[in-house]
Amino acid sequence: MKQSGSASIQTPRTQSQRNIDQEMYRDGPRLLADVGGANVRFTLEIAPGRFESIEEMRCDDPAGLLGAIRTYLARVGGEPVAHAGIAIANPVDGDLARMPYRDGALSVERMRQELDFETLRVVNDFSALGTALRHLPDDQRMQVGSGTPQADSVIGLLSPGTKLDVSALIPIEDRWVAVGSEGGHVSFSPCDEREVTVLRYCWHEYPHVSGERLLSESGIVLCYRALAAHSGVTAAPLSAREIVEAGLAGHDVVCADTLDCFCAMLGTVSANLAVTLGALGGIYIGGGIVPGLGEWFRTSSFRARFESKGRSSTYLAQIPTYVITASHPTFHGVSAMLAETLCDKGGESLLIDQVRSAREGLSRAEQRVADLVLTRPRTVLNDPIIEIARHAEVSQPTVIRFCRSLGFQGLSDFRLKLASGLTGTMPVRHSQVRHGDTAPDISAKVIENTASALLRLRDAINVDALGAATKLLGAARRIEFYAGGNSSVVALDGQLKFFRFRIPTVSYSDSLLQVRSAGLLGKGDVVVAISASGMSPGLFAAVDAARAVGADVVAITAGQSPLARRATVCIAVEHQERGGGFVAMISRVLHLIVIDVLAVGVALQRDEALALGELEASDDGCGPLRSRISHVGGA
């Protein structure tokens, strides 16, 4: 990697200085990066908004971004990095991040694995800039004109530079969402004779003139040429920077007129964005042009034009406008987006803090388990209890006591909470499969649609219902799986998995057999009824018959369906596939996953009972009960 000539390296704080900083991240510094056309800027964030070791280097050689990251981390040294956020000047499509300086794309997940990060979030740089707006300190933005922002209101963002980027920051429930757009390509609309002159000049070269055509670096040059031609002056071969510098100095009339025209047009486009969005939270101006105008921009035509909107002038006068003056605003945004990923739904981050706070009150043996959780959370999440005990150098009952000391029923309950906070690194989207799709299209859509549905299920599933169902199944005298049609294969899968627990288990897909068998059940028996819609009359009769004789029913179905209302416990799976010529596929996969989760839960429940002496080991020569499900679901 070649270090850029404009690099700025700050001396890292000493460890003693960091120890007295109460706001320092407890899991170590976070790596943030802003990847541009050929350069990448790095920093280590040691606390919210505290950036150290800022460095810029070139990133266009074959080693690419991974090589640049390794070089930077080796150079700054210090504590290992577990979490990283990267903003790139290109769209991020699912797991693929296309680098702006070279052909091809990188897999986000592969990058995370190769760099040994626990968390890696890659986002579009303009989305990061939009997210940064709410996190900029007052001394890193300059207000132009009057106006007061309204809390929890939409914010607009324009960034004139190489092009004109337009975005919005919208409050949704308890979070903010940065919305990208192509708003820079809206048609330019002149507001005075000078701008009409510019537009007419542009029409000689371009059939359509957008806002970006004039509110950009190339637009400044175009506007200068237009005003020079109108004034009868030969336009000099000046760059945008030279035009701006001459305009600020005031020794070139056409350059000064060009700069004033640019600011007025920007005021119009900003006002249009404000009234379109209802941006009562304010309009922010970033990019590479306006921040360089400094205090001069306050007295330019921008604000007067912004408020010049006829009957809407009073409305716009209330909306504040700001210039982003932060040296590295994207860092603030990517930091916020990474923090949101880490703390989403109060998951792992809050649980880790709970473990850390409770540690001193635990026994010495339990403290060793706590230390394992703090240093190697994925080991605790993924390994069987015997391996967790071995790594912590404690007994298996100590692992269970540790979980109960923190208020959990056992290891499986603790792991459910821990797993809910572990963030994926593969954002995926749903795309409709259409006639005419090629084989690669079909492959990508089917896989992404399934992954998208799985992630939604992960976020929405009721863990209390899972826990209740696991208890019923673990204690069952007999388990019967009922399903019909496409769900029959799920019922058969459930039978095969739970039979291995030495529980009498059968599956029926015939509605008559379901009803007759249900009538032979009794207290302590469990029926698992599976249906995508929950609207099957045949299942209703079987479930009612089972409940009538005292058996419990676990329904895997739509949450508000008639079948769900008949069950003892309902595990809601809210995915209704379109009909037509496609076989229901995703709902079947989701139901199979729920069966896997329940099987793993029962296995862990029995492991804990075995560790505490509440269940005798099997004498069939097959070893621990857990091994007999062959690590179902990848547990």
Side-chain angles (χ1 to χ4, degrees), residues 254-381:
V254 178
C255 288
D257 197 25
T258 298
L259 193 55
D260 183 70
C261 184
F262 173 87
C263 294
M265 292 187 295
L266 182 59
T268 298
V269 174
S270 299
N272 289 344
L273 181 64
V275 295
T276 300
L277 295 174
L280 298 177
I283 294 290
Y284 283 74
I285 309 296
I289 299 173
V290 177
L293 302 181
E295 287 292 327
W296 182 90
F297 189 70
R298 288 184 190 269
T299 59
S300 72
S301 302
F302 169 79
R303 183 67 193 191
R305 178 64 69 80
F306 180 82
E307 296 183 15
S308 179
K309 208 70 170 176
R311 290 173 293 176
S312 298
S313 295
T314 302
Y315 175 81
L316 284 162
Q318 303 173 52
I319 298 177
T321 50
Y322 303 95
V323 176
I324 300 171
T325 59
S327 300
H328 301 285
T330 303
F331 284 157
H332 290 277
V334 74
S335 167
M337 296 173 86
L338 175 60
E340 181 183 81
T341 298
L342 292 172
C343 297
D344 191 28
K345 298 184 182 294
E348 181 197 20
S349 293
L350 295 182
L351 181 57
I352 291 295
D353 285 343
Q354 180 184 346
V355 172
R356 187 178 288 109
S357 299
R359 184 185 181 282
E360 295 305 316
L362 302 174
S363 68
R364 289 188 177 181
E366 291 172 346
Q367 286 180 359
R368 290 199 288 273
V369 182
D371 291 339
L372 183 65
V373 173
L374 296 174
T375 58
R376 298 167 62 182
R378 291 184 182 272
T379 294
V380 177
L381 180 66

Side-chain angles (χ1 to χ4, degrees), residues 449-527:
N449 292 351
T450 303
S452 173
L454 285 171
L455 292 178
R456 288 196 299 272
L457 176 66
R458 179 199 64 182
D459 294 337
I461 199 164
N462 186 327
V463 293
D464 292 332
L466 282 174
T470 300
K471 286 184 178 180
L472 288 175
L473 292 168
R477 296 185 316 169
R478 178 181 178 86
I479 301 174
E480 297 196 351
F481 288 86
Y482 297 168
N486 193 57
S487 298
S488 298
V489 68
V490 183
L492 180 59
D493 182 70
Q495 177 195 358
L496 294 174
K497 284 188 170 66
F498 281 84
F499 185 77
R500 297 187 182 188
F501 295 128
R502 303 178 66 82
I503 302 172
T505 307
V506 298
S507 67
Y508 293 117
S509 58
D510 181 272
S511 58
L512 181 60
L513 287 176
Q514 291 169 359
V515 173
R516 291 185 174 178
S517 183
L520 300 175
L521 300 177
K523 188 174 178 61
D525 297 329
V526 178
V527 167

